[in-house]
Amino acid sequence: MNYNLNKEEILLALREELSDINDIQNLQNLKSKYLGKNGLTKSLMKNLKNLDDQAKREYGKVINELKNEIEDIFENKLAELKKAELEEKEKENWVDVTIPGAIRKIGKESFITKTIREIEEIFIGMGFSIAEGPEIEDAWYNFDALNTPKWHPAREMQDTFYITTDQQKLLRTHTSPVQIRTMLKSTPPLAIISPGRVYRKDELDATHSPVFHQVEGLYVDKTVSVSHLKMYLETMAKKLFGNKVSILLRPSYFPFTEPSFEVDISCIFCGGKGCNICKNSGWIEILGAGLVHPNVLKSVNYDPEIWQGFAFGMGVERVALLKYNVPEMREFYKNDVRFIESW
Ligand code: PHE
């Protein structure tokens, strides 16, 4: 038996085998081949029993050295593999902290809300308060109390979405019923505006929508005349569209006002000279108005011999179209981000 033990040769062979290994599992397998129960160092130990004491000591010393070196080699290799594995993982989960973050867009008020707010501000500044009411309304508030009984032809003027077949519940066709509700709850004098959503059986086109918004106003006091109405509306028009704007009252008809008017503003596009937007008239219609009809005051138990009032109502979309020069109403409801961002 050759007990000659060439340590360097063994280590060289080990290093060669190790150079092919690049994962921990294979390293463990190789380790047991050298250091395991049936491994190389164990089998070298077995030879010891055949040696005399002197040789045993020498041979044992070499085996121990060999074993220690092999252990060191495996330890180093293991550390190397673990480091490589970690680096690999880090590469996989790598985050570039220098990339600029995704910027979240901040929402905006819609044109409609913005326009309603502007109108509200103007009237709050003139001492009005804001009143709101339900969108599902009783026919009495929407029509009867507004001097529009069932037989009244004016009911046809506003194509109504009825909710019940007896036509007692409906989607309000204007925010005038809020004026009735407010008068019933309050004692005059009073000055309110009622902004809100209203419904009419209209097809959606460039200037119509079955759902739109209104701001209506009501002013009740002991002496109220058309000149008061005109002063408030003119102030509003100038604040909304600029000081150069003037207003024009044309006779009209509403069942709940007498006299009644359509109110125009001088064309904001041509300054009143005439253009295709004002159809060469120099004027653009923006609202309906009038002095509160005595029958309306009676229906809320206000004595028309004592109390008088003016009222007006305008379409918010129409005002917004003009003020922000938007080509058509549908833009307001499409939620096209390019449109929303453009103002
Ligand atoms: N309620 C009317 C409409 O919706 C507008 C209006 C209000 C007219 C008040 C006169 C007075 O068309």
Side-chain angles (χ1 to χ4, degrees), residues 146 157-158 173-177 179 198 200 212 214-217 253-254 256-257 260-261 287-291 310-314:
L146 288 159
M157 278 164 68
Q158 301 187 345
T173 57
H174 46 188
T175 58
S176 308
Q179 305 178 3
V198 300
R200 288 182 201 175
F212 61 101
Q214 276 192 331
V215 176
E216 295 214 350
Y253 173 76
F254 297 103
F256 28 86
T257 45
S260 302
F261 308 97
L287 50 84
L291 296 187
F310 69 72
F312 61 88
M314 74 192 108

Side-chain angles (χ1 to χ4, degrees), residues 189-200:
L190 58 91
I192 54 151
I193 53 165
S194 47
R197 201 176 283 140
V198 300
Y199 303 82
R200 288 182 201 175

Side-chain angles (χ1 to χ4, degrees), residues 64-168:
N64 260 337
E65 281 170 11
L66 177 67
K67 197 178 149 224
N68 286 343
E69 279 187 54
I70 293 177
E71 275 169 355
D72 279 354
I73 289 172
F74 274 106
E75 226 159 79
N76 288 340
K77 181 75 180 185
L78 183 65
E80 203 178 283
L81 287 182
K82 279 193 174 155
K83 194 173 160 220
E85 204 174 68
L86 201 70
E87 275 170 4
E88 195 60 35
K89 258 198 200 136
E90 271 174 5
K91 231 184 259 169
E92 256 171 47
N93 301 329
W94 184 73
V95 174
D96 183 351
V97 291
T98 67
I99 288 179
I103 293 168
R104 250 187 203 225
K105 284 188 182 145
I106 295 172
K108 277 186 176 181
E109 268 177 341
S110 75
F111 267 117
I112 306 301
T113 310
K114 190 175 155 71
T115 309
I116 290 177
R117 294 262 156 84
E118 282 169 0
I119 299 170
E120 284 177 355
E121 295 272 300
I122 293 170
F123 281 98
I124 286 170
M126 297 193 286
F128 285 63
S129 42
I130 296 170
E132 285 182 338
E135 289 175 28
I136 295 175
E137 192 49 284
D138 292 339
W140 189 81
Y141 292 99
N142 195 84
F143 288 128
D144 301 75
L146 288 159
N147 196 33
T148 323
K150 206 170 179 98
W151 50 263
H152 200 293
R155 282 211 188 187
E156 307 290 310
M157 278 164 68
Q158 301 187 345
D159 251 336
T160 310
F161 287 111
Y162 287 101
I163 290 181
T164 52
T165 44
D166 63 4
Q167 303 200 335
Q168 287 310 303

